Amino acid sequence: TGRDGIHGATFASVELSDESAEDRSSVQIGDPFLEKLLMEATLEIIEKGVAVGIQDMGAAGICCSSSETAAAGGVGIELNLDSVPLRDDGMIPYETLLSESQERMLIIGVAGKEGEILKIADKWELHIERIGEVIEGDRFVCRHKGRVVCDIPASSLVLGGGAPVYDRPYSKPEYIERLGDWSAEELNLAGRDAEELIQKLLAMPTIASKRWVFEQYDHQVGIDTVVKPGADAAVMRVKGTDSFIAISTDCNGRYCYLDPFTGAVQAVAESARNVIAAGAEPIGITNCLNFANPERPERFWPFVESVRGIGEACRAYNIPVTGGNVSFYNESPGGPIFPTPVIGMLGKIKGEKRIIRPGFVRDCAIFLIGQTDEGEFGGSALQKLLLGEIPMGKPPDVLMENELCAFNLIKDANESGIISFAHDLSEGGLAVALAESAIFGKIGAEIVFPKSDNSIKFLFSESQSRYLIGIEEDNVDDFELSARKHRVPYCNIGRTGGDTLTINKICELQVSDLKQIYYNTIPDLMKGEM
């Protein structure tokens, strides 16, 4: 069910080069609208009970989905490859089986219910073909033009049954120690203009608003989007229930370059913070693991360490990895990409009253929760702004105990109904979080730091496990009591109001000016390129 086949299995098996730019067929092109139709049809097939098995087609396409389904059911499967819709008539059986064309689903239908399945596919305007049948025994049989081109045990194609399990050599790259010997003192922050730094950080493409991108797609999703993308997490209602889901994706490749284990833990923690700040409880992740050539030990090591980090963070949150994908060989003549294990986090919110917005609300006390270390600038946005693309130093420490304590504080305070707004701290530290909260809420604030040896360091440090929390004056005592109960450091750093963001008397910025930079940077860049 879904789109017809195309050549698409080679993208994850060759290194990128100048020549590969012409190999357009290597890249699977997604179609979000067709994906939506496919999901709706699949849900209806499940609801009407006309299928005994369903599996999506991801890596290795038909070959993987059909053999795994057969092996899981303890049966065999026979496929007629002549029935598979193809975009290119010249495809050989090998290519047909391994093509990773998008928006496809394998349906194992109930015998005698084929007509109902066809009607559902027709209703959702999907192309559907009967390509085979379940057979007795442990065989994976494929026919092409009247000839058997494959006949092997189905179980031999799955993990545990014969599929190869690679144990590649890996070694720590030499640059890790070399770049790790770096101090934040090299940023020379004394005397820096905080106003200028905040404005320049907001104009960095990794921080500036991405709405130029997501507004080109259906980001309202049937008017079920309650909080639009672009802040911490998008929030969507689950129709017919009092439940909502919060969705976020995140990863800092600069952190992962310097320490892939810590960077991967941070990617999970940051994605969790995004949904927690929206009022949700993290319930599971998916991933998109992007790495260089695994055949080179020093480039396979970051993958091994990243997977280890993801596992440790997910065990701390007690949440599953529901799926994902791995993309290797992401290299060009200029070198490999940074290790980039992107994490997609799903959170659940019970009741609309529990949704928390990210923007300032007027006349609220602003609390900064979590501990700030004024030396945590390794791989930071400020480091990139001042020193260039190559990250240096060690990424900020991520202590899962601190992450969980902050989560439990926000969860309890939210259930008590005393949080007016929340926003987590990430790239650009406190400075960017304050600016974004002002932009999202269209309200200013007056911020006064606690005692700090260096206001600039305190403002831009990227220490983890931190949030901005808005509390109305009547609820301040209750919030502070809860923070002490959950052993979370906190400080009251100011109050919302007006149309200016004033910070410690070292900067004074109009919210309208911040908004202009934040929302116009990427559109202006795209106009310049076009």
Side-chain angles (χ1 to χ4, degrees):
T1 299
R3 172 176 288 184
D4 51 355
I6 59 171
H7 293 288
T10 59
F11 187 64
S13 58
V14 293
E15 292 189 27
L16 298 181
S17 65
D18 291 337
E19 291 76 17
S20 65
E22 301 301 321
D23 189 12
R24 296 182 183 275
S25 63
S26 292
V27 182
Q28 304 94 342
I29 306 299
D31 183 334
F33 182 72
L34 184 58
E35 183 74 26
K36 171 68 172 172
L37 297 178
L38 182 60
M39 287 191 293
E40 295 290 353
T42 302
L43 290 172
E44 187 170 340
I45 286 170
I46 294 170
E47 182 180 353
K48 293 188 174 178
V50 295
V52 295
I54 296 177
Q55 181 151 329
D56 69 298
M57 292 192 188
I62 294 172
C63 180
C64 184
S65 59
S66 55
S67 61
E68 286 185 346
T69 302
V75 296
I77 197 164
E78 183 170 324
L79 302 177
N80 178 11
L81 301 184
D82 297 330
S83 298
V84 178
L86 304 175
R87 181 170 295 174
D88 183 345
D89 292 335
M91 291 174 69
I92 61 176
Y94 178 85
E95 294 171 323
T96 302
L97 283 169
L98 294 179
S99 169
E100 295 180 5
S101 302
Q102 302 296 288
E103 291 80 49
R104 297 187 301 168
M105 198 74 72
L106 181 72
I107 309 292
I108 310 298
V110 175
K113 301 287 186 180
E114 296 90 344
E116 292 185 51
I117 296 175
L118 292 173
K119 285 181 181 178
I120 293 171
D122 184 62
K123 169 186 172 181
W124 294 100
E125 299 181 350
L126 293 171
H127 193 148
I128 186 169
E129 292 287 348
R130 178 171 177 168
I131 65 169
E133 60 184 10
V134 174
I135 59 176
E136 292 184 1
D138 179 25
R139 306 306 298 176
F140 179 71
V141 181
C142 301
R143 297 182 182 275
H144 181 249
K145 295 184 178 180
R147 184 170 62 92
V148 174
V149 294
C150 177
D151 185 354
I152 58 177
S155 60
S156 69
L157 297 175
V158 301
L159 291 177
V165 178
Y166 294 104
D167 186 12
R168 294 188 181 279
Y170 53 88
S171 59
K172 189 175 182 178
E174 63 82 20
Y175 76 81
I176 297 286
E177 297 299 332
R178 175 169 48 83
L179 294 179
D181 186 20
W182 178 86
S183 168
E185 298 303 321
E186 295 182 36
L187 291 174
N188 297 318
L189 294 178
R192 292 276 188 178
D193 186 333
E195 289 188 12
E196 180 184 6
L197 292 177
I198 291 174
Q199 292 174 19
K200 287 185 175 180
L201 284 171
L202 284 179
M204 293 176 69
T206 54
I207 293 177
S209 171
K210 314 303 185 296
R211 71 178 183 182
W212 181 91
V213 178
F214 68 71
E215 285 187 350
Q216 297 186 47
Y217 298 88
D218 179 16
H219 59 290
Q220 300 281 25
V221 194
I223 316 301
D224 285 325
T225 303
V226 179
V227 178
K228 294 180 181 179
D232 289 314
V235 177
M236 296 179 60
R237 67 172 54 87
V238 180
K239 285 182 178 178
T241 74
D242 191 33
S243 293
F244 298 79
I245 57 173
I247 308 161
S248 171
T249 59
D250 222 303
C251 181
N252 189 321
R254 294 170 63 81
Y255 290 170
C256 295
Y257 178 72
L258 295 172
D259 183 339
F261 173 81
T262 299
V265 172
Q266 191 274 343
V268 176
E270 166 64 8
S271 294
R273 269 180 250 136
N274 289 336
V275 302
I276 290 167
E281 178 178 357
I283 60 174
I285 74 162
T286 185
N287 59 62
C288 179
L289 308 181
N290 305 284
F291 291 84
N293 185 350
E295 298 170 35
R296 301 178 62 171
E298 74 280 6
R299 294 184 183 175
F300 190 50
W301 182 83
F303 174 76
V304 174
E305 288 295 287
S306 293
V307 171
R308 189 167 69 89
I310 291 170
E312 179 161 308
C314 286
R315 284 188 289 272
Y317 283 113
N318 193 28
I319 57 176
V321 180
T322 63
N325 76 295
V326 180
S327 177
F328 283 126
Y329 302 93
N330 292 284
E331 305 191 16
S332 71
I337 65 166
F338 290 155
T340 313
V342 178
I343 301 299
M345 179 70 67
L346 181 68
K348 184 177 180 180
I349 304 172
K350 190 64 177 177
E352 189 166 2
K353 290 183 180 179
R354 297 285 78 86
I355 298 173
I356 307 174
R357 309 285 174 162
F360 283 157
V361 174
R362 197 171 298 279
D363 296 326
C364 282
I366 304 171
F367 280 84
L368 170 63
I369 68 169
Q371 190 69 42
T372 301
D373 181 337
E374 295 184 5
E376 295 200 289
F377 287 94
S380 67
L382 188 65
Q383 182 193 75
K384 179 179 180 179
L385 176 69
L386 297 178
L387 301 182
E389 290 292 331
I390 302 300
M392 293 174 284
K394 300 185 187 312
D397 285 333
V398 186
L399 301 178
M400 291 309 301
E401 181 181 356
N402 295 346
E403 297 285 350
L404 294 172
C405 287
F407 164 48
N408 288 325
L409 166 59
I410 293 172
K411 181 180 178 181
D412 283 1
N414 190 29
E415 288 176 352
S416 300
I418 64 174
I419 295 182
S420 297
F421 64 83
H423 187 31
D424 86 299
L425 275 65
S426 56
E427 279 193 285
L430 177 60
V432 168
L434 288 168
E436 289 178 337
S437 295
I439 292 165
F440 298 147
K442 303 176 184 178
I443 296 169
E446 184 168 354
I447 306 300
V448 179
F449 290 164
K451 184 178 179 181
S452 173
D453 293 333
N454 189 314
S455 293
I456 293 288
K457 287 185 176 180
F458 187 83
L459 194 57
F460 296 100
S461 167
E462 293 188 6
S463 297
Q464 302 294 291
S465 315
R466 298 186 298 163
Y467 298 80
L468 289 178
I469 307 292
I471 304 293
E472 291 185 356
E473 199 62 45
D474 291 345
N475 298 319
V476 165
D477 289 344
D478 289 339
F479 181 76
E480 292 182 345
L481 181 63
S482 186
R484 290 192 293 271
K485 169 188 168 185
H486 290 286
R487 306 188 312 279
V488 177
Y490 68 91
C491 54
N492 188 330
I493 62 171
R495 191 171 185 82
T496 61
D499 55 10
T500 301
L501 178 62
T502 303
I503 303 176
N504 233 37
K505 302 186 185 299
I506 61 174
C507 69
E508 185 173 330
L509 295 157
Q510 293 294 317
V511 176
S512 58
D513 293 338
L514 297 174
K515 182 179 175 183
Q516 179 85 2
I517 297 168
Y518 184 74
Y519 286 116
N520 289 350
T521 291
I522 289 181
D524 289 346
L525 287 172
M526 298 308 294
K527 288 176 186 176
E529 290 180 6
M530 293 186 292

